[in-house]
Amino acid sequence: MKAAVYDAAGAPQVLRYADIPDPAIGPDDVLIAVEAISIEGGDLINRRLITPPQPSWVVGYAAAGTVVAIGSNVTSRRAGDRVAAFDLKGSYAERWAVPVGRTWRIPDGVDAASAAVLPISFGTAHHCLFARGALVSGESVLIQAAAGGVGLAAVQLAAQAGATVIAVTSGTQRSCRLLELGANHVVDRTAHDVVGAVRQMTHGLGAKLVVDPVGTTLQDSLAALAPEGRLVFVGNAGGGNLTVDLWPAMQANQTLSGVFMGPLFERPAVRSSVDALLQAVADGRIRAIIDRTFPLSEAAAAHAYAETAKPLGRIVMIP
């Protein structure tokens, strides 16, 4: 099969398009003929920083396609099922063997690209907002990096939950798009002080909930948080130091929750939320925003675009 592989960590150009053997399928796995691949932040970090454990390593967390074979223990899937999937490696290929517990059936009417994008972006946003953030209608929520995959999902879900949504982004075009998707206010971080703007929008109180997928913005997120507010930080898209001064947070009785979704996707509550979110896409209630599509053979160019072009939403590759 064809795959995008790399032998050493580095710039996007370390990715090459190559022939490699089809993956082995374990007793609890399904083998997927991949139709669309979502480029996730973790893919970029792994390629840039993590030495692959073996040559011709296939990176990739997320994809969607059709089941072509099942392991001996699998009873919940069969050949021909259309599924979205998550795993910690292997999606940048024409075939992908994934534990069945990390797959979701794709409802009728949902295309493969949207299905590939949804589990990580919307599943993460849903968990941050509701399971960890305990968001309720009428509260204010600040969403950092709102033009990214998790941010765009969080804006839509928070707006539909009846929250007052404050989205942080850069540029007029992104700001207009976020308002269309349900944000009540947008702060252009290149033109305004985010903390001051949030304080003004909340009449000096601060946001009751902040969702921060950036990491390097944690100090500002805390400064924009209301007393007894909740901060949920997920990932480190900014790639910087996560050290912050927690003394003011303690004095303000604020709650900080870290989220790392990798181990959570097989939990029943998370699995069912992703099923419901896929159905919401089918029903037209939410949208998986895709900035651009590349062929898998141009994975290096796709990664370069993801790191330099400030895309609005996810980037998808097609084998």
Side-chain angles (χ1 to χ4, degrees), residues 129-154:
L129 288 169
F130 304 112
R132 288 296 181 89
L135 181 67
V136 297
S137 179
E139 288 190 312
S140 56
V141 55
L142 171 66
I143 300 169
Q144 297 277 18
V150 173
L152 287 166

Side-chain angles (χ1 to χ4, degrees), residues 10-83:
Q13 289 72 29
V14 300
L15 288 168
R16 57 187 176 84
Y17 193 53
D19 286 299
I20 63 171
D22 284 6
I25 180 172
D28 299 309
D29 294 344
V30 296
L31 183 64
I32 302 168
V34 175
E35 298 168 15
I37 302 156
S38 177
I39 295 181
E40 301 293 333
D43 302 347
L44 304 176
I45 293 170
N46 286 342
R47 186 224 73 231
R48 187 168 61 241
L49 300 176
I50 306 299
T51 300
Q54 63 189 55
S56 297
W57 185 250
V58 183
V59 74
Y61 284 178
T66 300
V67 174
V68 294
I70 61 173
S72 57
N73 293 340
V74 175
T75 60
S76 60
R77 300 285 183 269
R78 61 183 181 181
D81 285 348
R82 298 177 66 242
V83 296

Side-chain angles (χ1 to χ4, degrees), residues 175-199:
S175 297
C176 292
R177 193 78 169 104
L178 288 165
L179 291 169
E180 292 172 2
L181 290 170
N184 299 94
H185 309 282
V186 179
V187 181
D188 184 342
R189 60 178 176 79
T190 63
H192 301 283
D193 171 64
V194 172
V195 176
V198 173
R199 290 287 173 185

Side-chain angles (χ1 to χ4, degrees), residues 30 71 126 167 205-206 234 298 305:
V30 296
H126 189 278
L205 297 175
V234 52
E298 297 178 11
Y305 179 82

